[in-house]
Amino acid sequence: MTAAGTVSAPLRPAPPVRPTDLFADRLLSVLSGQRPVHSMLRHTVGRAYDELAWLARRGALRTRGTRPVVRDIGYYVPRPGAIEAFARIGAGEQVRAMAFRLECGPDHRWRCAAVELGGPRMPHTDDD
């Protein structure tokens, strides 16, 4: 009972945040210019950081006016420890798609292994 004499509902724990939701928000923040690319250094593996930096330099999801938001997320689990996801990004009436791959490392932390948007892709190098 509260001080006013009313019964309050028991608090429920918040549902766990899915890695797809967390990474969609992180990637959107970088690609829209709200966070610096280096904030993703420890959250990426392989070529993903370079892809992200390449997309961010081009202002891939920067908008004028309406701030972009994640509207919807879908995903597929091709094998344990890997998730291939997509997010619909909206800014006003404009909708864009973002695809990304997450991999769970030996430390049980999820990291982004690839990121793509519609449009030009980062050129491959001889090291790829």
Side-chain angles (χ1 to χ4, degrees), residues 14-83:
V17 177
R18 295 181 301 200
T20 53
D21 298 353
L22 182 65
F23 274 87
D25 286 336
R26 284 178 178 166
L27 292 168
L28 174 59
S29 293
V30 169
L31 294 171
S32 64
Q34 298 168 45
R35 293 181 72 185
V37 176
H38 71 264
S39 68
M40 290 296 292
L41 264 172
R42 64 187 186 111
H43 302 290
T44 57
V45 293
R47 185 178 154 96
Y49 183 81
D50 294 334
E51 291 171 343
L52 187 59
W54 188 84
L55 290 167
R57 277 193 304 273
R58 282 151 183 73
L61 292 177
R62 291 184 188 206
T63 60
R64 294 179 189 211
T66 306
R67 184 176 175 172
V69 296
V70 176
R71 288 192 181 171
D72 187 30
I73 299 172
Y75 65 93
Y76 169 71
V77 180
R79 65 171 173 76
I83 299 173

Short mmCIF file of all heavy atoms in Angstrom, two decimals, residues 14-83:
data_model
loop_
_atom_site.label_atom_id
_atom_site.label_comp_id
_atom_site.label_asym_id
_atom_site.label_seq_id
_atom_site.Cartn_x
_atom_site.Cartn_y
_atom_site.Cartn_z
N ALA A 14 12.17 -5.20 -16.53
CA ALA A 14 12.15 -4.82 -17.94
C ALA A 14 12.60 -6.01 -18.78
O ALA A 14 13.49 -6.77 -18.37
CB ALA A 14 13.08 -3.64 -18.18
N PRO A 15 11.99 -6.19 -19.95
CA PRO A 15 12.44 -7.31 -20.80
C PRO A 15 13.88 -7.07 -21.24
O PRO A 15 14.31 -5.92 -21.39
CB PRO A 15 11.48 -7.26 -22.00
CG PRO A 15 10.89 -5.89 -21.99
CD PRO A 15 10.94 -5.41 -20.57
N PRO A 16 14.64 -8.13 -21.44
CA PRO A 16 16.04 -7.94 -21.85
C PRO A 16 16.10 -7.28 -23.23
O PRO A 16 15.26 -7.52 -24.09
CB PRO A 16 16.60 -9.36 -21.89
CG PRO A 16 15.42 -10.25 -21.99
CD PRO A 16 14.27 -9.53 -21.35
N VAL A 17 17.11 -6.46 -23.42
CA VAL A 17 17.30 -5.78 -24.70
C VAL A 17 17.97 -6.77 -25.65
O VAL A 17 19.00 -7.36 -25.32
CB VAL A 17 18.18 -4.52 -24.53
CG1 VAL A 17 18.43 -3.87 -25.88
CG2 VAL A 17 17.52 -3.54 -23.58
N ARG A 18 17.37 -6.97 -26.81
CA ARG A 18 17.94 -7.88 -27.80
C ARG A 18 19.16 -7.22 -28.45
O ARG A 18 19.17 -6.00 -28.66
CB ARG A 18 16.91 -8.23 -28.87
CG ARG A 18 15.73 -9.00 -28.32
CD ARG A 18 14.75 -9.34 -29.41
NE ARG A 18 14.28 -8.10 -30.04
CZ ARG A 18 13.18 -8.00 -30.75
NH1 ARG A 18 12.42 -9.05 -30.95
NH2 ARG A 18 12.82 -6.85 -31.28
N PRO A 19 20.16 -8.01 -28.82
CA PRO A 19 21.34 -7.41 -29.45
C PRO A 19 20.98 -6.71 -30.76
O PRO A 19 21.61 -5.71 -31.11
CB PRO A 19 22.29 -8.59 -29.68
CG PRO A 19 21.48 -9.82 -29.48
CD PRO A 19 20.30 -9.45 -28.64
N THR A 20 19.98 -7.20 -31.47
CA THR A 20 19.58 -6.54 -32.72
C THR A 20 19.08 -5.13 -32.46
O THR A 20 19.40 -4.20 -33.21
CB THR A 20 18.49 -7.35 -33.45
OG1 THR A 20 17.41 -7.61 -32.54
CG2 THR A 20 19.05 -8.65 -33.98
N ASP A 21 18.30 -4.94 -31.41
CA ASP A 21 17.78 -3.62 -31.07
C ASP A 21 18.92 -2.68 -30.66
O ASP A 21 18.98 -1.53 -31.09
CB ASP A 21 16.77 -3.71 -29.93
CG ASP A 21 15.55 -4.53 -30.28
OD1 ASP A 21 15.40 -4.94 -31.46
OD2 ASP A 21 14.73 -4.78 -29.38
N LEU A 22 19.79 -3.18 -29.82
CA LEU A 22 20.92 -2.39 -29.33
C LEU A 22 21.81 -1.94 -30.48
O LEU A 22 22.17 -0.76 -30.59
CB LEU A 22 21.72 -3.22 -28.32
CG LEU A 22 22.89 -2.55 -27.65
CD1 LEU A 22 22.43 -1.40 -26.77
CD2 LEU A 22 23.66 -3.56 -26.82
N PHE A 23 22.16 -2.86 -31.37
CA PHE A 23 23.06 -2.51 -32.47
C PHE A 23 22.38 -1.65 -33.52
O PHE A 23 23.03 -0.79 -34.11
CB PHE A 23 23.69 -3.76 -33.09
CG PHE A 23 24.92 -4.20 -32.36
CD1 PHE A 23 24.83 -5.03 -31.26
CD2 PHE A 23 26.16 -3.74 -32.75
CE1 PHE A 23 25.96 -5.41 -30.56
CE2 PHE A 23 27.31 -4.12 -32.05
CZ PHE A 23 27.20 -4.96 -30.96
N ALA A 24 21.11 -1.84 -33.77
CA ALA A 24 20.42 -0.95 -34.72
C ALA A 24 20.50 0.49 -34.23
O ALA A 24 20.79 1.40 -35.00
CB ALA A 24 18.97 -1.39 -34.90
N ASP A 25 20.28 0.70 -32.93
CA ASP A 25 20.37 2.05 -32.36
C ASP A 25 21.80 2.59 -32.42
O ASP A 25 22.02 3.75 -32.77
CB ASP A 25 19.87 2.07 -30.92
CG ASP A 25 18.36 1.96 -30.82
OD1 ASP A 25 17.66 2.31 -31.80
OD2 ASP A 25 17.87 1.51 -29.77
N ARG A 26 22.78 1.75 -32.08
CA ARG A 26 24.18 2.19 -32.11
C ARG A 26 24.60 2.57 -33.53
O ARG A 26 25.23 3.61 -33.74
CB ARG A 26 25.10 1.09 -31.60
CG ARG A 26 25.08 0.90 -30.12
CD ARG A 26 25.98 -0.24 -29.72
NE ARG A 26 26.01 -0.39 -28.27
CZ ARG A 26 26.49 -1.44 -27.64
NH1 ARG A 26 27.01 -2.44 -28.34
NH2 ARG A 26 26.48 -1.49 -26.34
N LEU A 27 24.28 1.71 -34.49
CA LEU A 27 24.66 1.98 -35.88
C LEU A 27 23.98 3.23 -36.40
O LEU A 27 24.60 4.05 -37.07
CB LEU A 27 24.35 0.77 -36.75
CG LEU A 27 25.20 -0.47 -36.47
CD1 LEU A 27 24.62 -1.69 -37.19
CD2 LEU A 27 26.65 -0.24 -36.86
N LEU A 28 22.69 3.38 -36.10
CA LEU A 28 21.97 4.58 -36.54
C LEU A 28 22.59 5.84 -35.95
O LEU A 28 22.75 6.84 -36.63
CB LEU A 28 20.49 4.49 -36.16
CG LEU A 28 19.66 5.73 -36.44
CD1 LEU A 28 19.69 6.08 -37.93
CD2 LEU A 28 18.24 5.54 -35.96
N SER A 29 22.97 5.80 -34.69
CA SER A 29 23.59 6.96 -34.05
C SER A 29 24.87 7.38 -34.77
O SER A 29 25.13 8.56 -34.96
CB SER A 29 23.90 6.67 -32.58
OG SER A 29 22.71 6.52 -31.85
N VAL A 30 25.66 6.41 -35.19
CA VAL A 30 26.91 6.72 -35.89
C VAL A 30 26.61 7.20 -37.31
O VAL A 30 27.15 8.22 -37.76
CB VAL A 30 27.85 5.49 -35.91
CG1 VAL A 30 29.01 5.70 -36.86
CG2 VAL A 30 28.35 5.21 -34.50
N LEU A 31 25.76 6.48 -38.02
CA LEU A 31 25.50 6.81 -39.42
C LEU A 31 24.71 8.10 -39.60
O LEU A 31 24.72 8.69 -40.67
CB LEU A 31 24.80 5.65 -40.11
CG LEU A 31 25.67 4.39 -40.23
CD1 LEU A 31 24.84 3.22 -40.73
CD2 LEU A 31 26.86 4.66 -41.13
N SER A 32 24.04 8.56 -38.55
CA SER A 32 23.31 9.82 -38.64
C SER A 32 24.11 10.99 -38.08
O SER A 32 23.63 12.11 -38.03
CB SER A 32 21.96 9.71 -37.91
OG SER A 32 22.16 9.49 -36.53
N GLY A 33 25.34 10.71 -37.62
CA GLY A 33 26.21 11.77 -37.13
C GLY A 33 25.98 12.15 -35.68
O GLY A 33 26.55 13.13 -35.20
N GLN A 34 25.20 11.39 -34.94
CA GLN A 34 24.93 11.71 -33.54
C GLN A 34 26.04 11.22 -32.61
O GLN A 34 26.18 11.73 -31.49
CB GLN A 34 23.60 11.10 -33.10
CG GLN A 34 22.43 11.66 -33.89
CD GLN A 34 21.17 10.85 -33.65
OE1 GLN A 34 20.85 10.52 -32.51
NE2 GLN A 34 20.46 10.51 -34.71
N ARG A 35 26.78 10.20 -33.04
CA ARG A 35 27.90 9.66 -32.25
C ARG A 35 29.09 9.50 -33.18
O ARG A 35 28.93 9.24 -34.37
CB ARG A 35 27.54 8.29 -31.67
CG ARG A 35 26.45 8.35 -30.62
CD ARG A 35 26.16 6.99 -30.08
NE ARG A 35 27.28 6.55 -29.23
CZ ARG A 35 27.34 5.35 -28.68
NH1 ARG A 35 26.39 4.46 -28.89
NH2 ARG A 35 28.35 5.02 -27.93
N PRO A 36 30.30 9.60 -32.66
CA PRO A 36 31.49 9.41 -33.50
C PRO A 36 31.69 7.94 -33.86
O PRO A 36 31.29 7.04 -33.11
CB PRO A 36 32.63 9.92 -32.62
CG PRO A 36 32.13 9.76 -31.22
CD PRO A 36 30.64 9.95 -31.28
N VAL A 37 32.31 7.71 -34.99
CA VAL A 37 32.54 6.34 -35.46
C VAL A 37 33.37 5.56 -34.44
O VAL A 37 33.09 4.38 -34.20
CB VAL A 37 33.25 6.34 -36.83
CG1 VAL A 37 33.58 4.93 -37.27
CG2 VAL A 37 32.39 7.02 -37.87
N HIS A 38 34.36 6.20 -33.83
CA HIS A 38 35.22 5.46 -32.90
C HIS A 38 34.46 4.90 -31.69
O HIS A 38 34.97 4.03 -31.00
CB HIS A 38 36.42 6.32 -32.46
CG HIS A 38 36.07 7.44 -31.55
ND1 HIS A 38 35.85 8.72 -32.01
CD2 HIS A 38 35.90 7.48 -30.21
CE1 HIS A 38 35.56 9.50 -30.98
NE2 HIS A 38 35.58 8.77 -29.88
N SER A 39 33.23 5.34 -31.44
CA SER A 39 32.44 4.76 -30.35
C SER A 39 32.08 3.31 -30.63
O SER A 39 31.67 2.58 -29.73
CB SER A 39 31.17 5.59 -30.11
OG SER A 39 30.28 5.47 -31.21
N MET A 40 32.27 2.86 -31.88
CA MET A 40 31.95 1.48 -32.26
C MET A 40 33.19 0.58 -32.32
O MET A 40 33.08 -0.60 -32.66
CB MET A 40 31.23 1.45 -33.61
CG MET A 40 29.84 2.02 -33.58
SD MET A 40 28.72 1.04 -32.55
CE MET A 40 28.61 -0.47 -33.49
N LEU A 41 34.36 1.11 -31.99
CA LEU A 41 35.58 0.32 -32.09
C LEU A 41 35.49 -1.02 -31.37
O LEU A 41 35.83 -2.05 -31.93
CB LEU A 41 36.78 1.11 -31.55
CG LEU A 41 37.60 1.85 -32.58
CD1 LEU A 41 38.62 2.74 -31.91
CD2 LEU A 41 38.24 0.91 -33.56
N ARG A 42 35.06 -1.03 -30.15
CA ARG A 42 35.01 -2.29 -29.39
C ARG A 42 33.74 -3.10 -29.66
O ARG A 42 33.57 -4.18 -29.10
CB ARG A 42 35.17 -2.03 -27.90
CG ARG A 42 34.07 -1.23 -27.29
CD ARG A 42 34.40 -0.88 -25.84
NE ARG A 42 33.27 -0.23 -25.23
CZ ARG A 42 32.54 -0.78 -24.28
NH1 ARG A 42 32.83 -1.97 -23.81
NH2 ARG A 42 31.51 -0.13 -23.78
N HIS A 43 32.88 -2.58 -30.54
CA HIS A 43 31.63 -3.27 -30.86
C HIS A 43 31.61 -3.82 -32.28
O HIS A 43 30.57 -4.20 -32.79
CB HIS A 43 30.44 -2.31 -30.69
CG HIS A 43 30.33 -1.74 -29.31
ND1 HIS A 43 29.98 -2.49 -28.21
CD2 HIS A 43 30.56 -0.49 -28.86
CE1 HIS A 43 29.98 -1.73 -27.15
NE2 HIS A 43 30.33 -0.50 -27.50
N THR A 44 32.79 -3.85 -32.94
CA THR A 44 32.88 -4.35 -34.30
C THR A 44 34.03 -5.35 -34.41
O THR A 44 34.93 -5.36 -33.58
CB THR A 44 33.14 -3.21 -35.31
OG1 THR A 44 34.32 -2.52 -34.93
CG2 THR A 44 31.98 -2.24 -35.38
N VAL A 45 33.95 -6.19 -35.45
CA VAL A 45 35.03 -7.13 -35.75
C VAL A 45 35.28 -7.11 -37.25
O VAL A 45 34.40 -6.76 -38.03
CB VAL A 45 34.73 -8.58 -35.29
CG1 VAL A 45 34.68 -8.69 -33.79
CG2 VAL A 45 33.46 -9.10 -35.92
N GLY A 46 36.48 -7.49 -37.61
CA GLY A 46 36.81 -7.61 -39.03
C GLY A 46 36.66 -6.29 -39.76
O GLY A 46 37.03 -5.23 -39.28
N ARG A 47 36.09 -6.38 -40.91
CA ARG A 47 35.95 -5.25 -41.83
C ARG A 47 34.81 -4.29 -41.44
O ARG A 47 34.70 -3.20 -42.00
CB ARG A 47 35.70 -5.87 -43.20
CG ARG A 47 35.62 -4.96 -44.33
CD ARG A 47 35.41 -5.79 -45.60
NE ARG A 47 34.76 -5.01 -46.62
CZ ARG A 47 35.41 -4.37 -47.58
NH1 ARG A 47 36.71 -4.44 -47.64
NH2 ARG A 47 34.74 -3.67 -48.45
N ALA A 48 33.99 -4.65 -40.48
CA ALA A 48 32.80 -3.86 -40.15
C ALA A 48 33.13 -2.42 -39.74
O ALA A 48 32.41 -1.50 -40.12
CB ALA A 48 31.99 -4.54 -39.05
N TYR A 49 34.20 -2.22 -38.99
CA TYR A 49 34.54 -0.86 -38.57
C TYR A 49 34.89 0.00 -39.78
O TYR A 49 34.46 1.15 -39.88
CB TYR A 49 35.69 -0.85 -37.56
CG TYR A 49 36.00 0.55 -37.07
CD1 TYR A 49 35.23 1.13 -36.07
CD2 TYR A 49 37.04 1.28 -37.62
CE1 TYR A 49 35.49 2.42 -35.63
CE2 TYR A 49 37.31 2.57 -37.19
CZ TYR A 49 36.54 3.13 -36.19
OH TYR A 49 36.80 4.40 -35.77
N ASP A 50 35.65 -0.56 -40.72
CA ASP A 50 36.01 0.17 -41.93
C ASP A 50 34.76 0.49 -42.76
O ASP A 50 34.64 1.59 -43.31
CB ASP A 50 37.01 -0.62 -42.77
CG ASP A 50 38.36 -0.77 -42.08
OD1 ASP A 50 38.69 0.08 -41.23
OD2 ASP A 50 39.05 -1.76 -42.35
N GLU A 51 33.85 -0.47 -42.87
CA GLU A 51 32.60 -0.23 -43.60
C GLU A 51 31.80 0.88 -42.95
O GLU A 51 31.27 1.77 -43.62
CB GLU A 51 31.76 -1.51 -43.65
CG GLU A 51 32.34 -2.61 -44.50
CD GLU A 51 31.61 -3.93 -44.36
OE1 GLU A 51 30.86 -4.14 -43.39
OE2 GLU A 51 31.82 -4.80 -45.24
N LEU A 52 31.71 0.83 -41.63
CA LEU A 52 30.96 1.84 -40.89
C LEU A 52 31.58 3.23 -41.06
O LEU A 52 30.87 4.21 -41.32
CB LEU A 52 30.92 1.45 -39.41
CG LEU A 52 30.06 2.26 -38.49
CD1 LEU A 52 28.60 2.26 -38.94
CD2 LEU A 52 30.15 1.71 -37.07
N ALA A 53 32.89 3.32 -40.97
CA ALA A 53 33.57 4.60 -41.15
C ALA A 53 33.37 5.13 -42.57
O ALA A 53 33.12 6.32 -42.77
CB ALA A 53 35.06 4.45 -40.85
N TRP A 54 33.44 4.25 -43.55
CA TRP A 54 33.24 4.63 -44.95
C TRP A 54 31.83 5.18 -45.16
O TRP A 54 31.64 6.22 -45.79
CB TRP A 54 33.49 3.40 -45.84
CG TRP A 54 33.52 3.67 -47.30
CD1 TRP A 54 34.59 4.10 -48.04
CD2 TRP A 54 32.43 3.51 -48.22
NE1 TRP A 54 34.22 4.21 -49.36
CE2 TRP A 54 32.92 3.86 -49.50
CE3 TRP A 54 31.11 3.11 -48.09
CZ2 TRP A 54 32.11 3.82 -50.63
CZ3 TRP A 54 30.30 3.07 -49.21
CH2 TRP A 54 30.81 3.43 -50.46
N LEU A 55 30.82 4.50 -44.60
CA LEU A 55 29.43 4.96 -44.73
C LEU A 55 29.21 6.28 -43.97
O LEU A 55 28.53 7.17 -44.46
CB LEU A 55 28.47 3.90 -44.22
CG LEU A 55 28.35 2.64 -45.07
CD1 LEU A 55 27.62 1.54 -44.29
CD2 LEU A 55 27.62 2.95 -46.37
N ALA A 56 29.80 6.39 -42.79
CA ALA A 56 29.62 7.61 -41.98
C ALA A 56 30.22 8.83 -42.67
O ALA A 56 29.64 9.92 -42.64
CB ALA A 56 30.23 7.41 -40.60
N ARG A 57 31.38 8.67 -43.30
CA ARG A 57 32.01 9.79 -44.02
C ARG A 57 31.11 10.31 -45.14
O ARG A 57 31.17 11.47 -45.48
CB ARG A 57 33.35 9.37 -44.61
CG ARG A 57 34.49 9.42 -43.63
CD ARG A 57 35.85 9.31 -44.32
NE ARG A 57 35.99 8.13 -45.15
CZ ARG A 57 36.41 6.93 -44.72
NH1 ARG A 57 36.72 6.78 -43.44
NH2 ARG A 57 36.54 5.92 -45.54
N ARG A 58 30.31 9.46 -45.69
CA ARG A 58 29.42 9.85 -46.78
C ARG A 58 28.08 10.39 -46.28
O ARG A 58 27.21 10.71 -47.07
CB ARG A 58 29.19 8.66 -47.71
CG ARG A 58 30.37 8.48 -48.62
CD ARG A 58 30.59 7.06 -49.07
NE ARG A 58 31.80 6.97 -49.88
CZ ARG A 58 33.04 7.04 -49.42
NH1 ARG A 58 33.25 7.25 -48.16
NH2 ARG A 58 34.07 6.94 -50.23
N GLY A 59 27.92 10.48 -44.96
CA GLY A 59 26.68 11.02 -44.40
C GLY A 59 25.48 10.15 -44.74
O GLY A 59 24.39 10.65 -45.03
N ALA A 60 25.67 8.86 -44.71
CA ALA A 60 24.68 7.90 -45.19
C ALA A 60 23.27 8.09 -44.64
O ALA A 60 22.30 7.99 -45.39
CB ALA A 60 25.16 6.48 -44.89
N LEU A 61 23.12 8.36 -43.37
CA LEU A 61 21.78 8.52 -42.79
C LEU A 61 21.57 9.89 -42.15
O LEU A 61 20.68 10.06 -41.33
CB LEU A 61 21.51 7.42 -41.75
CG LEU A 61 21.38 6.00 -42.32
CD1 LEU A 61 21.18 4.99 -41.21
CD2 LEU A 61 20.24 5.91 -43.32
N ARG A 62 22.38 10.85 -42.54
CA ARG A 62 22.18 12.21 -42.03
C ARG A 62 20.99 12.83 -42.73
O ARG A 62 20.79 12.64 -43.93
CB ARG A 62 23.41 13.06 -42.26
CG ARG A 62 24.55 12.60 -41.38
CD ARG A 62 25.73 13.48 -41.52
NE ARG A 62 26.82 12.85 -40.79
CZ ARG A 62 27.81 13.50 -40.28
NH1 ARG A 62 27.91 14.80 -40.43
NH2 ARG A 62 28.75 12.87 -39.63
N THR A 63 20.21 13.54 -41.98
CA THR A 63 19.02 14.19 -42.54
C THR A 63 19.01 15.65 -42.13
O THR A 63 19.68 16.05 -41.19
CB THR A 63 17.73 13.52 -42.03
OG1 THR A 63 17.69 13.63 -40.61
CG2 THR A 63 17.66 12.06 -42.43
N ARG A 64 18.21 16.40 -42.82
CA ARG A 64 17.97 17.79 -42.44
C ARG A 64 16.57 17.84 -41.85
O ARG A 64 15.61 17.43 -42.49
CB ARG A 64 18.07 18.70 -43.65
CG ARG A 64 19.46 18.73 -44.21
CD ARG A 64 19.54 19.60 -45.41
NE ARG A 64 20.85 19.41 -46.03
CZ ARG A 64 21.47 20.33 -46.68
NH1 ARG A 64 20.93 21.51 -46.87
NH2 ARG A 64 22.66 20.09 -47.21
N GLY A 65 16.49 18.30 -40.64
CA GLY A 65 15.18 18.39 -40.02
C GLY A 65 14.90 17.19 -39.13
O GLY A 65 15.47 17.05 -38.07
N THR A 66 14.05 16.31 -39.60
CA THR A 66 13.59 15.18 -38.79
C THR A 66 14.74 14.22 -38.47
O THR A 66 15.45 13.77 -39.35
CB THR A 66 12.48 14.40 -39.54
OG1 THR A 66 11.47 15.32 -39.91
CG2 THR A 66 11.90 13.32 -38.67
N ARG A 67 14.87 13.91 -37.20
CA ARG A 67 15.92 12.99 -36.75
C ARG A 67 15.51 11.56 -37.11
O ARG A 67 14.37 11.14 -36.86
CB ARG A 67 16.06 13.12 -35.24
CG ARG A 67 17.15 12.31 -34.65
CD ARG A 67 17.25 12.62 -33.17
NE ARG A 67 18.22 11.77 -32.54
CZ ARG A 67 18.61 11.91 -31.30
NH1 ARG A 67 18.09 12.87 -30.56
NH2 ARG A 67 19.50 11.11 -30.80
N PRO A 68 16.41 10.77 -37.71
CA PRO A 68 16.05 9.40 -38.08
C PRO A 68 15.86 8.51 -36.85
O PRO A 68 16.53 8.69 -35.83
CB PRO A 68 17.23 8.93 -38.92
CG PRO A 68 18.36 9.82 -38.57
CD PRO A 68 17.77 11.11 -38.09
N VAL A 69 14.94 7.56 -36.97
CA VAL A 69 14.65 6.61 -35.90
C VAL A 69 14.52 5.21 -36.48
O VAL A 69 14.21 5.04 -37.66
CB VAL A 69 13.35 6.97 -35.14
CG1 VAL A 69 13.47 8.29 -34.43
CG2 VAL A 69 12.16 6.96 -36.08
N VAL A 70 14.76 4.21 -35.64
CA VAL A 70 14.54 2.82 -36.05
C VAL A 70 13.05 2.55 -35.97
O VAL A 70 12.44 2.68 -34.91
CB VAL A 70 15.32 1.85 -35.13
CG1 VAL A 70 15.00 0.40 -35.49
CG2 VAL A 70 16.81 2.12 -35.20
N ARG A 71 12.45 2.19 -37.10
CA ARG A 71 11.01 1.91 -37.13
C ARG A 71 10.69 0.44 -36.91
O ARG A 71 9.67 0.11 -36.32
CB ARG A 71 10.41 2.34 -38.46
CG ARG A 71 10.31 3.83 -38.62
CD ARG A 71 9.46 4.15 -39.81
NE ARG A 71 9.36 5.59 -40.00
CZ ARG A 71 8.81 6.14 -41.05
NH1 ARG A 71 8.31 5.39 -42.02
NH2 ARG A 71 8.76 7.45 -41.15
N ASP A 72 11.55 -0.44 -37.42
CA ASP A 72 11.27 -1.87 -37.35
C ASP A 72 12.58 -2.63 -37.49
O ASP A 72 13.50 -2.16 -38.14
CB ASP A 72 10.31 -2.25 -38.49
CG ASP A 72 9.83 -3.68 -38.41
OD1 ASP A 72 9.73 -4.22 -37.29
OD2 ASP A 72 9.56 -4.27 -39.47
N ILE A 73 12.64 -3.79 -36.86
CA ILE A 73 13.83 -4.64 -36.95
C ILE A 73 13.38 -6.07 -37.21
O ILE A 73 12.43 -6.55 -36.60
CB ILE A 73 14.65 -4.61 -35.64
CG1 ILE A 73 15.12 -3.18 -35.35
CG2 ILE A 73 15.83 -5.57 -35.71
CD1 ILE A 73 15.77 -3.02 -34.00
N GLY A 74 14.07 -6.73 -38.10
CA GLY A 74 13.85 -8.15 -38.36
C GLY A 74 15.20 -8.84 -38.35
O GLY A 74 16.24 -8.21 -38.51
N TYR A 75 15.18 -10.14 -38.14
CA TYR A 75 16.46 -10.86 -38.11
C TYR A 75 16.28 -12.33 -38.47
O TYR A 75 15.18 -12.86 -38.45
CB TYR A 75 17.14 -10.71 -36.75
CG TYR A 75 16.39 -11.37 -35.62
CD1 TYR A 75 16.68 -12.67 -35.24
CD2 TYR A 75 15.40 -10.67 -34.93
CE1 TYR A 75 15.99 -13.28 -34.20
CE2 TYR A 75 14.72 -11.26 -33.88
CZ TYR A 75 15.01 -12.57 -33.53
OH TYR A 75 14.32 -13.16 -32.51
N TYR A 76 17.40 -12.94 -38.80
CA TYR A 76 17.48 -14.35 -39.13
C TYR A 76 18.71 -14.90 -38.42
O TYR A 76 19.76 -14.24 -38.39
CB TYR A 76 17.60 -14.52 -40.65
CG TYR A 76 17.95 -15.92 -41.09
CD1 TYR A 76 17.03 -16.96 -40.98
CD2 TYR A 76 19.20 -16.21 -41.60
CE1 TYR A 76 17.35 -18.24 -41.37
CE2 TYR A 76 19.54 -17.49 -42.01
CZ TYR A 76 18.60 -18.50 -41.88
OH TYR A 76 18.93 -19.77 -42.27
N VAL A 77 18.60 -16.10 -37.86
CA VAL A 77 19.73 -16.73 -37.18
C VAL A 77 20.25 -17.86 -38.08
O VAL A 77 19.66 -18.95 -38.10
CB VAL A 77 19.32 -17.27 -35.79
CG1 VAL A 77 20.49 -17.93 -35.09
CG2 VAL A 77 18.74 -16.15 -34.93
N PRO A 78 21.31 -17.61 -38.87
CA PRO A 78 21.82 -18.64 -39.78
C PRO A 78 22.52 -19.79 -39.06
O PRO A 78 22.61 -20.90 -39.59
CB PRO A 78 22.79 -17.89 -40.69
CG PRO A 78 23.22 -16.71 -39.90
CD PRO A 78 22.06 -16.35 -39.01
N ARG A 79 23.04 -19.51 -37.88
CA ARG A 79 23.70 -20.52 -37.05
C ARG A 79 23.80 -19.95 -35.65
O ARG A 79 23.70 -18.73 -35.46
CB ARG A 79 25.09 -20.87 -37.60
CG ARG A 79 26.06 -19.72 -37.56
CD ARG A 79 27.49 -20.15 -37.91
NE ARG A 79 28.39 -19.03 -38.02
CZ ARG A 79 28.90 -18.35 -36.99
NH1 ARG A 79 28.61 -18.68 -35.77
NH2 ARG A 79 29.72 -17.34 -37.20
N PRO A 80 23.99 -20.81 -34.65
CA PRO A 80 24.17 -20.28 -33.29
C PRO A 80 25.37 -19.33 -33.24
O PRO A 80 26.42 -19.60 -33.82
CB PRO A 80 24.43 -21.53 -32.46
CG PRO A 80 23.80 -22.65 -33.23
CD PRO A 80 23.98 -22.28 -34.68
N GLY A 81 25.17 -18.19 -32.61
CA GLY A 81 26.25 -17.21 -32.48
C GLY A 81 26.33 -16.22 -33.62
O GLY A 81 27.27 -15.43 -33.69
N ALA A 82 25.36 -16.24 -34.54
CA ALA A 82 25.35 -15.29 -35.65
C ALA A 82 23.92 -14.84 -35.91
O ALA A 82 22.99 -15.64 -35.86
CB ALA A 82 25.93 -15.92 -36.91
N ILE A 83 23.76 -13.56 -36.16
CA ILE A 83 22.45 -12.98 -36.47
C ILE A 83 22.61 -12.07 -37.67
O ILE A 83 23.50 -11.22 -37.69
CB ILE A 83 21.90 -12.15 -35.28
CG1 ILE A 83 21.72 -13.01 -34.04
CG2 ILE A 83 20.57 -11.49 -35.68
CD1 ILE A 83 21.35 -12.20 -32.79
#
